[in-house]
Amino acid sequence: MLELKEVKIGVVGLGYVGLPLAVEFGKQYPTIGLDLKADRVRELHAGNDSTLEVTPAELATAKQLRFTSDPGELAACNVFIVTVPTPIDRYNRPDLSYLEGASETVGRLLKSGDVVIYESTVFPGATEEVCVPVLEAVSGLEFNKDFYAGYSPERINPGDKEHRVTTILKVTSGSTPEVADFVDALYKSVIDAGTHRASSIRVAEAAKVIENTQRDLNIALINELALIFNRMGIDTQQVLEAAGTKWNFLPFRPGLVGGHCIGVDPYYLTHKAQEIGYHPEIILAGRRINDGMGSHVAEQVVKLMVNNKIQVSGSNVLMLGLAFKENCPDLRNSHVVDVVRELQGYNARVDVHDPWVDADEAREEYGVELVHEPPGNDYDAVVIAVAHDQFRELGAGGLRAFCKPGGILFDVKYLLPAEAVDGRL
């Protein structure tokens, strides 16, 4: 079994998860970060991170870290950590193409004694049932004889400056007891918050996938309550504030559920459940509610416009925010675009403004052309879709200034008091 003093690490994938991890390992071990996007490697060599997860100063502290887009440069590594995306397809089925591709890349580099650790979110069993066979087939080596595997699920929260990779307790696991000890010791050497050694890879995989499934269901409950209270003419936020005075009431809020985890991970679990003959009901019901909230927001905006005698067809609407959460440039699985599409279906012209999001990425990902500086007094309706600090600083007056006289201001994120807006979830 490898000793820590012998470790040479290759991190495959330098996104929101891989880069912060590579930086921490690069402070203590020879580390190479691999990303097949040459532009990404160039910006990192220049000391910049477009995800804003790592500052130039933090990059500079990783003295043993270098970056490449050439997989061959990882040939001398003996620990490979895979941190590639695991999205879902248009039918909400797990898309394992990135994971399989990364496994093929690593498989071509594997040597006897090497350890491959996966961090990407998967369903229980995926590491040993999907990834390991690829590693064996490409490398010609035998699992748990010539090479070993581990799983340590990522817990990165994009845009969160308080909960960082070193301050979040890390779950670890390995394919044998000895490997589990090694993986745990490796992460413990860089994670200040410590580690939790799971009993098996499958347990660690299952733990990760339910973390966000639980959160998804909690939000789905609040979203459903918002749908009910809206029909009853009751302000949901006021209800939640009143209920929140009880010591054990959980402080969830309604909203659009997007991002790389909460809106995706439950489908990995339900996929595996259906594969083994169990049809999950509660999890999928929660997903249906949360996936439908974009349509609900658009419907509420349209109703307010009609009630104010504003012609919806041909109207101008401003969407404030496109990222999936506040103070973050991450566009993955953003359901703000659902609101945009629904309003466009009413023949409204929708401008989208987001000071955090890269315009080229918005165009490539969703076909959305961002507006850099929305004109004042030009919109029949303004929707606060993301609670960026820039919008909060404008206050009610600044946000209302985008509206035409008599225009609608709708608050998805409870950014403003109820009396300052015309509607909210």
Side-chain angles (χ1 to χ4, degrees), residues 107 187 203 296 365 375 381:
Y187 279 98
V203 166
H296 173 69
E365 186 75 18

Side-chain angles (χ1 to χ4, degrees), residues 293-303 338-339 342-343 346:
M293 289 305 291
S295 296
H296 173 69
V297 169
E299 178 185 325
Q300 294 309 302
V301 172
V302 168
K303 282 184 177 180
D338 295 349
V339 186
E342 285 290 325
L343 291 171
Y346 286 95

Side-chain angles (χ1 to χ4, degrees), residues 164-170 187-188 190-196:
R164 312 298 292 162
V165 64
T166 58
T167 62
I168 303 171
L169 193 139
K170 202 84 164 70
Y187 279 98
K188 193 172 289 183
V190 298
I191 304 297
D192 297 335
T195 60
H196 174 89

Side-chain angles (χ1 to χ4, degrees), residues 121 151 153-155 203-212 261 265:
T121 301
Y151 184 77
E154 60 90 2
R155 282 176 165 172
V203 166
E205 291 168 328
K208 167 58 181 176
V209 83
I210 72 164
E211 288 173 14
N212 290 312
C261 285
D265 295 0

